[in-house]
């Protein structure tokens, strides 16, 4: 139970004690008042009746106890919600750790795939560079300009130039335009 709830409980007990004391004083004073005054009429008799004061105090105590039970139930509900939130926080933290692990595995896999792709491109570039320029030019003539430019951009200038000289002027121009423009949007220092 929190200190705020304990404080509320003590306040309610103090109020109930004041009601009991007040009731006791009323009972004592009403007896004294009845001895000194004339008998009260029937409608006013219930006001000075000690049983009415005791019933009132009992009712107030019952209400105070009911309120205390409500407050305790509310406190338990808050504790249950806090427990559920803590459990959810732990699950989220576990999921974040799993996500970070999955990202690490994915980055490793991507690096492996990129490495394998890079090795394949290097191998093809070496192979095309080693070919006779006329045979390589016939192959490059069949390729899309962007694809062919990728290989020619990786080759030594003399090998790439020999292959380009064997291409039709239209194909050589398309590849040259792509090679010239591929770094056009790169940031400069």
């Amino acid at each position: 139970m929190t200190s705020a709830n304990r404080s509320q409980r003590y306040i309610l007990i103090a109020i109930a004690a004041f009601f009991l004391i007040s009731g006791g004083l009323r009972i004592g004073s009403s007896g004294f008042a009845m001895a000194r005054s004339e008998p009260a009429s029937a409608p006013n008799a219930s006001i000075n009746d000690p049983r009415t004061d005791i019933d009132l105090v009992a009712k107030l105590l019952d209400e105070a106890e009911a309120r205390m039970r409500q407050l305790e139930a509310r406190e338990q509900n808050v504790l249950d919600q806090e427990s559920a939130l803590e459990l959810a926080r732990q699950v989220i933290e576990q999921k974040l750790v799993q996500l970070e692990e999955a990202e690490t595995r994915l980055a490793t896999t991507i690096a492996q795939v990129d490495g394998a792709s890079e090795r394949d491109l290097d191998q093809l570039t070496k192979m095309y560079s080693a070919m006779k320029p006329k045979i390589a030019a016939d192959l490059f003539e069949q390729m899309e300009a962007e694809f062919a430019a990728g290989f020619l951009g990786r080759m030594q200038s003399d090998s790439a130039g020999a292959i380009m000289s064997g291409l039709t002027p239209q194909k050589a121009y398309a590849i040259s335009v792509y090679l010239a423009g591929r770094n056009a949007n790169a940031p400069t220092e």
Side-chain angles (χ1 to χ4, degrees):
M1 179 176 286
T2 64
S3 62
N5 287 339
R6 279 189 223 119
S7 297
Q8 290 174 348
R9 176 177 253 161
Y10 293 134
I11 290 170
L12 289 174
I13 291 172
I15 290 171
F18 285 130
F19 281 127
L20 285 173
I21 292 170
S22 172
L25 291 174
R26 288 179 117 192
I27 291 171
S29 66
S30 66
F32 180 71
M34 285 195 292
R36 296 186 64 216
S37 67
E38 296 179 12
S41 62
N44 293 333
S46 63
I47 293 174
N48 293 329
D49 187 3
R51 291 176 300 197
T52 303
D53 292 337
I54 292 172
D55 290 343
L56 178 63
V57 169
K59 182 178 177 183
L60 289 173
L61 283 175
D62 288 343
E63 289 175 5
E65 288 177 6
R67 181 69 178 144
M68 292 282 284
R69 284 190 297 275
Q70 287 175 345
L71 290 173
E72 288 171 353
R74 187 178 295 165
E75 178 185 14
Q76 185 59 45
N77 187 22
V78 168
L79 292 174
D80 291 346
Q81 289 175 351
E82 287 175 352
S83 176
L85 286 174
E86 177 61 24
L87 180 61
R89 185 189 61 75
Q90 290 174 359
V91 168
I92 289 170
E93 286 178 359
Q94 289 174 351
K95 295 293 181 183
L96 284 174
V97 167
Q98 291 173 352
L99 181 61
E100 289 172 357
E101 291 171 354
E103 285 177 345
T104 301
R105 287 191 308 271
L106 180 61
T108 301
T109 301
I110 288 172
Q112 290 171 347
V113 169
D114 285 347
S117 296
E118 188 62 30
R119 286 188 300 276
D120 290 345
L121 290 173
D122 284 344
Q123 182 65 29
L124 280 171
T125 302
K126 289 177 185 174
M127 185 180 68
Y128 289 139
S129 294
M131 292 173 86
K132 293 187 187 235
K134 175 68 176 132
I135 295 172
D138 288 342
L139 287 173
F140 277 77
E141 191 70 42
Q142 300 303 313
M143 293 180 193
E144 292 288 327
E146 292 177 20
F147 188 70
F151 288 112
L152 289 171
R154 293 169 156 262
M155 290 181 182
Q156 297 290 328
S157 319
D158 55 342
S159 295
I163 293 172
M164 289 281 282
S165 66
L167 296 174
T168 62
Q170 294 85 1
K171 188 63 136 188
Y173 175 75
I175 291 172
S176 296
V177 168
Y178 184 76
L179 283 171
R182 68 181 176 172
N183 292 323
N185 293 330
T188 58
E189 294 182 63

